[in-house]
Amino acid sequence: MNSHDGDYGLWALVVINSLFFILFAASYFKPKSKQDWRTLGLFSAFVVALFTEMYGFPLTIYLLSGWLAEHFPGINWLSHDAGHLPEMIFGWKANPHFGPFHILSSLFIIGGFWLLADAWPVLYEAQKAGRLASTGPYGRIRHPQYAAFILIMIGFLFQWPTLLTLILFPVLLVTYVRLAKREESQALETFGDAYRDYMRRTPGWWPAFKERRSPN
């Protein structure tokens, strides 16, 4: 791998990619409360930290450069490809974009976006009709939208892990769980026994293989 002057410092790409994912998240979150805005803010920080190191300035590489050079000699750690740390550390010699971790990353990211796109129309129609969302992805897990964002973040961590995103990920994970619990409390107040029955037959985060219905 050879380092090029254009490997980093591409701040226009940092801005474009960050805005795309933040606006995309905002369109699904539709934040209203202070907690919603804090959640969006944390996700935005994750995205900005990711793309800043991917295209702007490789802070993680610089901070770990001594350790990386000592334990993995022969790699030009200032090249853009070296930012794909899992491929480099595990000795993938070919283009890292075709490495096992990058492929796994793509599966997580695509799966997250697919789940998000599949869940949103169900939730939108349910909210418009004033009824409980319990079909489609909501018939398998209670929080498909939050699960989708978690899948996307895991995908990015496999593709381009950084110190900041590794710190932010568990914070976001805890935040999503707390937000989901808050929404469940609100749903219990709104739907009562119908939501209690939904909670009994539908797992929170790990999907059921077959949609289960309450007995007649």
Side-chain angles (χ1 to χ4, degrees):
M1 297 176 295
N2 296 317
S3 179
H4 300 85
D5 292 336
D7 280 355
Y8 293 102
L10 305 174
W11 296 105
L13 287 178
V14 174
V15 173
I16 291 170
N17 281 279
S18 296
L19 283 176
F20 173 80
F21 283 99
I22 291 169
L23 292 175
F24 183 86
S27 69
Y28 283 94
F29 273 133
K30 297 189 182 301
K32 297 177 182 178
S33 67
K34 290 183 179 180
Q35 184 173 352
D36 291 341
W37 282 108
R38 284 196 297 269
T39 301
L40 180 61
L42 284 171
F43 180 79
S44 300
F46 180 94
V47 168
V48 171
L50 169 70
F51 288 113
T52 295
E53 294 214 34
M54 190 177 291
Y55 297 114
F57 180 78
L59 177 63
T60 298
I61 296 295
Y62 275 98
L63 291 177
L64 299 180
S65 58
W67 182 85
L68 289 169
E70 179 182 353
H71 291 82
F72 306 97
I75 295 176
N76 181 4
W77 290 106
L78 296 182
S79 68
H80 186 77
D81 282 355
H84 298 269
L85 286 173
E87 265 78 16
M88 298 298 104
I89 289 175
F90 284 93
W92 183 258
K93 302 298 183 182
N95 188 326
H97 295 89
F98 299 101
F101 288 97
H102 199 284
I103 292 172
L104 184 61
S105 162
S106 298
L107 291 175
F108 272 100
I109 294 171
I110 293 171
F113 279 122
W114 175 84
L115 179 58
L116 197 59
D118 199 32
W120 173 244
V122 176
L123 180 61
Y124 174 77
E125 292 298 328
Q127 289 178 336
K128 189 168 65 171
R131 57 178 169 78
L132 177 64
S134 59
T135 60
Y138 285 91
R140 290 166 174 79
I141 55 175
R142 299 197 301 272
H143 311 293
Q145 287 183 284
Y146 295 136
F149 280 112
I150 291 170
L151 288 175
I152 293 168
M153 288 189 295
I154 290 173
F156 279 129
L157 288 175
F158 273 118
Q159 180 182 148
W160 200 283
T162 75
L163 293 176
L164 286 177
T165 54
L166 286 170
I167 291 171
L168 284 170
F169 176 72
V171 176
L172 273 163
L173 197 62
V174 171
T175 302
Y176 285 149
V177 171
R178 288 180 176 176
L179 189 58
K181 288 182 178 179
R182 191 195 72 175
E183 291 180 355
E184 286 189 338
S185 297
Q186 294 172 344
L188 284 168
E189 292 179 1
T190 303
F191 298 104
D193 289 339
Y195 196 78
R196 290 186 183 89
D197 178 64
Y198 173 67
M199 291 180 70
R200 282 193 296 269
R201 59 190 170 86
T202 309
W205 300 91
W206 188 257
F209 291 101
K210 182 172 67 174
E211 187 171 337
R212 293 174 287 184
R213 301 181 183 275
S214 57
N216 295 327

